[in-house]
Structures are given as structure tokens and as C-alpha cells.
Amino acid sequence: MNVAKSAYRVFSANSSAACTELAKKITDHLILFFFFFFFFTIRDVNTAIMELLVMAYALKTSCAKNIIGVIPYFPYSKQCKMRKRGSIVCKLLASMLAKAGLTHIITMDLHQKEIQGFFSFPVDNLRASPFLIQYIQEEIPDYRNAIIVAKSPAAAKRAQSYAERLRLGLAVIHGEAQCSESDMADGRHSPPCVRNTTGHTGLELPLMMAKEKPPITVVGDVGGRIAIIVDDIIDDVGDFVAAAEILKERGAYKIYIMATHGLLSADAPRLIEESAIDEVVVTNTVPHEVQKLQCPKIKTVDVSMILAEAIRRIHNGESMAYLFRNITVDD
């Protein structure tokens, strides 16, 4: 816990040294305010969530006026849509946080913008794109010869936003061989297509035709260019490794991956090290020091400054619009 000269408190979850380190960086940017606590998603995510709920409830029962959670990577954010007869876990977590006593959340690059609607209190969804774009401009030699790549049509809007601000071309990889998230999320496979032959069969609905993906193609010319793939989360790197191989075959001579949240679970560092990817750039919203030791290709961008500024503005009652200047909804 860091205490400044005026009446503010910043609490940091103690489940991760990286959490404490980023919380320290944030408070170094700050001069004043009151009750905030900082939460970092660690590998044992359920333990981390329980710690978050206990901390929030402890502050609530201590009569804290405002309890603002700083959650750079929101856990279970990928489970934000209906999958068959499953539950929307992200909505459940939002309800639990509200019940525990949180009154405000600061997060970054939610997997889906619609997640903000799950909460009954304000959510500030900050963007990491200005920091990643700055890295491209300052750290990638000859970035003017680069092309922004979406590894799937679903990521095309984000890639287009990057391309427009960097004044670069855009390419889209289509037909990749993984199961599309949207296929499972819209309920088309629920209930299963099994008819009971006894009793009333109900309406005879037409069967949905199975989707067949075309062979992998790259829409756009990447030959002789630097390919920069952008996304919000990089966890299971199989899709990125496959995309890098396709781009190499099409003539790209360097391949970068830019993502906000570097979960990099399982054997991701080894796969990256053995792949055609030249560099993976992620922010410090999730600790990944161990992965960096296993794979020198992984680089980190610090986003503590914007988190600190968001906290300062909330405490002082200032507008948050400044933090979203030149930011599009598609980021």
C-alpha cells in the first residue's frame, strides 16, 4: 500500500510481484487522491478473483465512500457470449464485483466493448493502441515499409484503425483453419439437431448448412514488406504462428505481433521462439517475466502512465475524454 501526503490510498493485490511493481509505477505518477486498489490477473485466475472480491468487500465494510478497481486485464473477458447452453461467465463476474462493493472499474482493451454493459457502475475501458503505435514508430526500423495485418476478418476493424493512423496499407488473412468464435457464440448449435421420433415433434425447422472455410488466402500484398499483426490478446499462439508462416510464404521479410494482453500460456514462448515471428510486443497489463526469459523475442511496453492519469482524473472529477483523443471505437 502506498500513502501520499494527502488523503488517498492505493491498495495492491499481493498475489504477484508484478502486480506490486506495476502498482508502484502507477503511484509514482500520482500526487493525490483516495481509495483505489490495483488488481493483476495471475496464472491462478480464480485465486486472484477471490482476492479481488475479499479486498473490495473489506473496503466496503470499512465504509469506503468509493472503491475503484484498477483491473488492466479483465479475467474471463473471452467468455462474454453465449456458447451453446453455457453461461456468460463475464456477466457473472461483473455482478459479483458489484455485490462485493466496487463502484468503478478502470480496465484496458476489453475483449468485446459490449462487456461494459454487464456492469451496473461506470467502467473506463482505456486503450493501449497509442503506446503500441508509438513503439512501431520508434522501435521498428523502416516501419514506413510495413503493412498492418489482421489474422482473421474479425480483427479487420482493429487492424484498419492502426493502418489509418500509421498511414500504412492493410492486409487480411482469410480462411485460417481454427474454429471461429462467432460460430459457437450465436447459439446456432443449440439445441443439437436431434429429433425425438416419439410424441409431438413441433415445428420442422430447416437445418443449418455447415460452414466450410476456403483455403487460406491473404487479401493484400505483403511481398517485400514488414508485416505487423495486431490483436487485443495473445494467449494460444498457434494462430499467430500459422499466420506468420503464411506471410513468410507470401514474401514478408519481417513479422511483428502487437497485442495488449500477453497471456502467453502453456508452451507459447517456445512456439514463438521456433516460429517465423521476429518479435512479439505486449503491454505490462499481465505479468510475463518468466515468458521473456524463455523467449527473447517478447518485448514489453509500459502503460502505467495512462492508468495513473485515469486514476488522477477520476479522483479530481476531471473529464476522461482527454484519454480517448484520436481513439476510435474499433481500437
Side-chain angles (χ1 to χ4, degrees), residues 222-261:
V222 299
R225 312 286 288 276
I226 300 171
I228 303 175
I229 304 175
V230 298
D231 213 334
D232 62 328
I233 299 172
I234 177 169
D235 186 4
D236 180 3
V237 300
D239 297 343
F240 293 93
V241 170
E245 292 176 357
I246 294 297
L247 294 171
K248 277 287 187 182
E249 292 176 3
R250 299 296 191 277
Y253 69 92
K254 275 195 175 181
I255 298 169
Y256 291 80
I257 309 293
M258 314 291 294
T260 304
H261 309 296

Side-chain angles (χ1 to χ4, degrees), residues 25-38:
K25 287 183 179 180
I26 290 174
T27 54
D28 286 344
H29 291 294
L30 298 170
I31 299 176
L32 65 143
F33 51 137
F34 49 87
F35 274 111
F36 292 80
F37 70 91
F38 189 83

Side-chain angles (χ1 to χ4, degrees), residues 12 16-26 28 38 40 289:
S12 171
S16 168
C19 173
T20 306
E21 181 182 352
L22 184 52
K24 176 65 167 59
K25 287 183 179 180
I26 290 174
D28 286 344
F38 189 83
F40 223 151
E289 286 72 19

Side-chain angles (χ1 to χ4, degrees), residues 51-320:
E51 181 180 11
L52 170 66
L53 295 172
V54 170
M55 289 178 66
Y57 187 68
L59 294 172
K60 177 183 178 181
T61 54
S62 298
C63 301
K65 181 180 179 181
N66 291 293
I67 305 172
I68 302 174
V70 184
I71 310 175
Y73 172 67
F74 194 78
Y76 286 103
S77 59
K78 278 193 171 184
Q79 298 187 25
C80 59
K81 294 181 179 180
M82 178 66 75
R83 297 177 185 272
K84 297 186 179 181
R85 291 294 188 186
S87 61
I88 304 177
V89 181
C90 193
K91 168 62 176 173
L92 171 64
L93 182 55
S95 300
M96 293 169 65
L97 293 176
K99 189 68 175 178
L102 267 75
T103 59
H104 199 133
I105 277 182
I106 301 172
T107 187
M108 180 168 284
D109 282 343
L110 289 171
H111 185 56
Q112 298 288 340
K113 308 298 185 295
E114 293 78 8
I115 293 174
Q116 291 179 264
F118 292 167
F119 294 87
S120 57
F121 50 77
V123 176
D124 286 309
N125 182 26
L126 305 177
R127 306 292 199 274
S129 57
F131 296 91
L132 296 176
I133 288 174
Q134 183 181 30
Y135 184 94
I136 292 172
Q137 293 172 326
E138 296 179 355
E139 302 296 333
I140 298 182
D142 195 23
Y143 83 92
R144 290 292 181 188
N145 189 39
I147 185 168
I148 304 297
V149 179
K151 69 179 179 67
S152 68
K157 286 187 176 181
R158 181 186 300 271
Q160 181 181 1
S161 176
Y162 275 69
E164 289 176 350
R165 280 188 282 166
L166 288 165
R167 302 332 190 245
L168 298 176
L170 176 67
V172 179
I173 298 176
H174 180 54
E176 68 275 27
Q178 81 266 12
C179 183
S180 174
E181 181 179 348
S182 61
D183 291 347
M184 300 182 292
D186 62 3
R188 71 182 65 184
H189 301 303
S190 175
C193 298
V194 178
R195 292 190 175 90
N196 188 355
T197 57
T198 62
H200 181 63
T201 58
L203 297 176
E204 293 291 330
L205 299 177
L207 294 176
M208 297 292 294
M209 295 295 294
K211 293 173 65 176
E212 293 185 6
K213 293 190 176 182
I216 294 179
T217 58
V218 178
V219 182
D221 183 15
V222 299
R225 312 286 288 276
I226 300 171
I228 303 175
I229 304 175
V230 298
D231 213 334
D232 62 328
I233 299 172
I234 177 169
D235 186 4
D236 180 3
V237 300
D239 297 343
F240 293 93
V241 170
E245 292 176 357
I246 294 297
L247 294 171
K248 277 287 187 182
E249 292 176 3
R250 299 296 191 277
Y253 69 92
K254 275 195 175 181
I255 298 169
Y256 291 80
I257 309 293
M258 314 291 294
T260 304
H261 309 296
L263 304 183
L264 301 168
S265 59
D267 57 349
R270 179 185 62 81
L271 294 175
I272 293 171
E273 187 67 24
E274 297 173 357
S275 72
I277 299 171
D278 291 280
E279 196 168 280
V280 173
V281 182
V282 294
T283 72
N284 55 345
T285 56
V286 177
H288 49 265
E289 286 72 19
V290 174
Q291 289 86 340
K292 289 179 69 174
L293 293 175
Q294 298 172 347
C295 178
K297 293 181 180 181
I298 301 172
K299 309 296 180 183
T300 306
V301 173
D302 181 22
V303 293
S304 62
M305 182 181 298
I306 193 171
L307 293 169
E309 181 63 14
I311 293 171
R312 188 193 68 80
R313 286 177 173 270
I314 290 172
H315 173 69
N316 292 333
E318 300 177 19
S319 172
M320 298 289 285

